[in-house]
């Protein structure tokens, strides 16, 4: 398929720059997978579309305040470092800017010496391997000195770091938030549990590749970035029971979807406790083995994420829904509104 098949016109003013004060106040476009009917609601109305025995799968990754501003120890030149992932205890792969100023042996100082780093290795596209040195607990130092690595299309400052975290975030390691989950509050989750909706968790640490544009015309030639995932035995057993009881499995976000579909693909359609790296690329046509429905935000034109949601319904219906969202002035991207894609029937009904 051609990349231009997934393009649409998006007015720049619809790109949400700041989160709403009330998480559940976001709008919700509901798209029925079977009838293709569209309903315009608010996120708090999601409970009207979920049933006892349905299961929401949420990604409990926690975003690191991964952007650090420091200086070179010898010259005082300013450098920006963005943490990508941990190689071992205090050794990290980072993205340096400007990368040409950061050679092997370069020493950096952050926060008047509260944190220092030494460049051990250079990689392509500005990547570096650095060794950090500090006193105390690394994540506490990072929380004090680091900034949230907001997506490039967000120009406003984020006054409250926790607003770029889900309320259930707990596993440190992401360079970006699983933004579909930002709409939930603990109160809404408790209300859903009280209705008999099952809540379970997986972990996928979101990498910066999630913002990397597709650079090929033929999407068959695109290579996905790899991200680390983990599913516990408890979650695997929960999902098996939901499927056995004919419940619907609804992933919250494309990151949860990638994890579930990777595990199902690698284990003949079964849910198995596992960890690893996934570079799965989901685009039409694709036979979903793990999920029945999806809660997601509105994605960038020509992105791998709009390709994934197109595979769950069909390209024409998704682009029609997106055009409706533009017409109705929905807010787009990370701090924007949400979409619920759901079948009316349960499995095997």
């Amino acid at each position: 398929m051609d990349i231009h098949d997934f393009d649409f016109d998006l007015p720049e003013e619809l790109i949400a720059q700041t989160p709403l004060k009330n998480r559940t106040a976001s709008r919700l476009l509901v798209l029925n997978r079977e009838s293709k009917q569209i309903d315009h609601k608010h996120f708090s109305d999601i409970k009207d579309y979920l049933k006892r025995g349905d299961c929401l799968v949420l990604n409990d990754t926690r975003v690191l305040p991964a952007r650090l501003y420091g200086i070179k120890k010898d010259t005082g030149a300013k450098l920006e470092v963005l943490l990508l992932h941990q190689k071992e205890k205090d050794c990290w792969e980072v993205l340096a800017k400007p990368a040409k100023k950061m050679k092997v042996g370069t020493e950096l100082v952050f926060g008047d010496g509260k944190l220092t780093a030494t460049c051990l290795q250079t990689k392509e596209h500005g990547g570096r391997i650095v060794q950090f040195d500090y006193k105390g607990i690394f994540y506490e130092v990072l929380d004090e000195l680091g900034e949230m690595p907001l997506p490039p299309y967000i120009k406003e400052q984020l006054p409250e770091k926790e607003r770029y975290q889900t309320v259930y975030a707990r596993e440190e390691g992401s360079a970006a938030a699983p933004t579909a989950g930002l709409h939930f509050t603990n109160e809404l989750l408790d209300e859903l549990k009280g209705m008999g909706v099952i809540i379970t968790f997986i972990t996928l640490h979101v990498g910066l590749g999630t913002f990397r544009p597709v650079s090929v015309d033929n999407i068959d030639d695109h290579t996905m970035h790899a991200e680390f995932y983990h599913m516990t035995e408890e979650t695997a057993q929960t999902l098996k029971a939901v499927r056995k009881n004919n419940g619907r499995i609804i992933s919250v976000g494309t990151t949860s979807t990638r994890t579930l579909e990777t595990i199902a693909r690698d284990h003949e359609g079964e849910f198995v406790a596992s960890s690893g790296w996934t570079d799965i690329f989901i685009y039409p046509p694709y036979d979903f083995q793990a999920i029945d429905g999806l809660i997601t935000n509105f994605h960038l034109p020509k992105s791998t994420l709009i390709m994934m949601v197109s595979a769950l319904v069909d390209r024409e219906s998704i682009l029609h829904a997106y055009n409706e969202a533009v017409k109705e002035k929905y807010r787009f991207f990370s701090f924007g509104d949400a979409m619920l894609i759901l079948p009316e029937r349960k499995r095997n009904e």
Side-chain angles (χ1 to χ4, degrees):
M1 299 186 76
D2 192 277
I3 183 65
H4 299 287
D5 292 336
F6 299 92
D7 198 7
F8 64 94
D9 292 325
L10 178 67
E12 188 173 350
E13 62 266 22
L14 296 185
I15 300 174
Q17 293 295 316
T18 55
L20 298 178
K21 184 176 181 180
N22 182 351
R23 291 176 183 258
T24 63
S26 298
R27 297 171 72 187
L28 179 70
L29 187 149
V30 183
L31 175 61
N32 189 295
R33 281 182 69 184
E34 294 145 358
S35 69
K36 310 302 190 294
Q37 177 182 331
I38 291 174
D39 294 326
H40 297 289
K41 300 289 183 176
H42 285 90
F43 197 81
S44 56
D45 298 321
I46 199 166
K47 55 185 177 289
D48 297 333
Y49 294 87
L50 301 177
K51 306 173 183 178
R52 176 176 294 276
D54 286 344
C55 179
L56 294 182
V57 185
L58 299 95
N59 183 3
D60 63 3
T61 189
R62 186 169 179 82
V63 186
L64 296 171
R67 180 169 277 119
L68 290 163
Y69 296 97
I71 59 172
K72 291 179 66 174
K73 186 176 181 180
D74 55 352
T75 67
K78 295 180 180 179
L79 269 166
E80 176 185 329
V81 165
L82 187 63
L83 275 62
L84 297 181
H85 63 263
Q86 191 174 20
K87 305 288 287 184
E88 48 190 85
K89 185 178 183 297
D90 292 319
C91 189
W92 285 75
E93 181 174 351
V94 305
L95 197 63
K97 183 180 178 181
K100 63 182 180 180
K101 290 186 178 180
M102 194 168 174
K103 298 178 172 58
V104 172
T106 298
E107 296 182 8
L108 303 179
V109 178
F110 306 94
D112 297 324
K114 291 182 179 179
L115 180 68
T116 61
T118 303
C119 180
L120 304 180
Q121 180 185 344
T122 62
K123 299 173 72 71
E124 59 182 12
H125 305 304
R128 298 290 186 269
I129 304 298
V130 303
Q131 180 83 31
F132 285 108
D133 187 54
Y134 53 92
K135 290 183 179 179
I137 299 172
F138 178 72
Y139 289 117
E140 291 182 357
V141 175
L142 190 63
D143 194 53
E144 179 183 351
L145 301 179
E147 291 185 3
M148 284 296 180
L150 296 178
Y153 46 76
I154 292 179
K155 311 302 181 186
E156 300 286 337
Q157 291 292 317
L158 183 65
E160 186 182 348
K161 286 182 181 180
E162 284 302 305
R163 200 54 186 82
Y164 194 55
Q165 305 278 14
T166 61
V167 297
Y168 45 82
R170 58 190 177 193
E171 299 293 336
E172 302 269 12
S174 272
T179 54
L182 295 178
H183 305 283
F184 286 95
T185 61
N186 287 317
E187 292 76 15
L188 178 57
L189 290 171
D190 287 342
E191 189 173 356
L192 291 172
K193 290 177 188 176
M195 292 168 46
V197 175
I198 299 161
I199 308 294
T200 194
F201 298 92
I202 55 86
T203 302
L204 183 136
H205 292 317
V206 188
L208 285 180
T210 192
F211 304 123
R212 194 167 294 149
V214 178
S215 59
V216 295
D217 288 332
N218 184 348
I219 65 175
D220 292 331
D221 298 330
H222 178 67
T223 301
M224 289 289 289
H225 58 285
E227 295 170 319
F228 181 80
Y229 71 88
H230 175 66
M231 178 189 280
T232 65
E233 180 64 29
E234 179 182 2
T235 294
Q237 292 302 324
T238 295
L239 294 174
K240 287 178 183 178
V242 170
R243 180 169 285 176
K244 181 179 180 181
N245 294 328
N246 222 23
R248 297 178 298 181
I249 295 173
I250 300 133
S251 60
V252 177
T254 56
T255 59
S256 295
T257 303
R258 292 188 75 203
T259 304
L260 295 173
E261 291 296 326
T262 295
I263 292 170
R265 176 198 64 185
D266 294 346
H267 298 91
E268 299 182 346
E270 295 298 319
F271 296 114
V272 176
S274 54
S275 298
W277 292 83
T278 179
D279 61 357
I280 192 170
F281 182 18
I282 298 174
Y283 62 96
Y286 179 86
D287 182 20
F288 284 84
Q289 299 182 61
I291 71 166
D292 302 297
L294 170 65
I295 298 169
T296 186
N297 282 14
F298 291 93
H299 305 296
L300 280 73
K302 299 190 288 187
S303 65
T304 60
L305 304 180
I306 194 172
M307 294 174 198
M308 178 189 291
V309 296
S310 296
L312 187 59
V313 189
D314 60 70
R315 184 180 66 87
E316 294 78 9
S317 296
I318 288 296
L319 290 179
H320 173 68
Y322 270 55
N323 287 329
E324 281 288 302
V326 170
K327 178 183 174 183
E328 296 295 326
K329 300 189 182 304
Y330 277 64
R331 303 165 78 244
F332 275 67
F333 305 163
S334 295
F335 288 141
D337 296 315
M339 172 186 276
L340 170 63
I341 302 172
L342 199 63
E344 182 63 32
R345 299 188 300 270
K346 291 188 178 182
R347 287 176 176 269
N348 303 323
E349 279 190 348

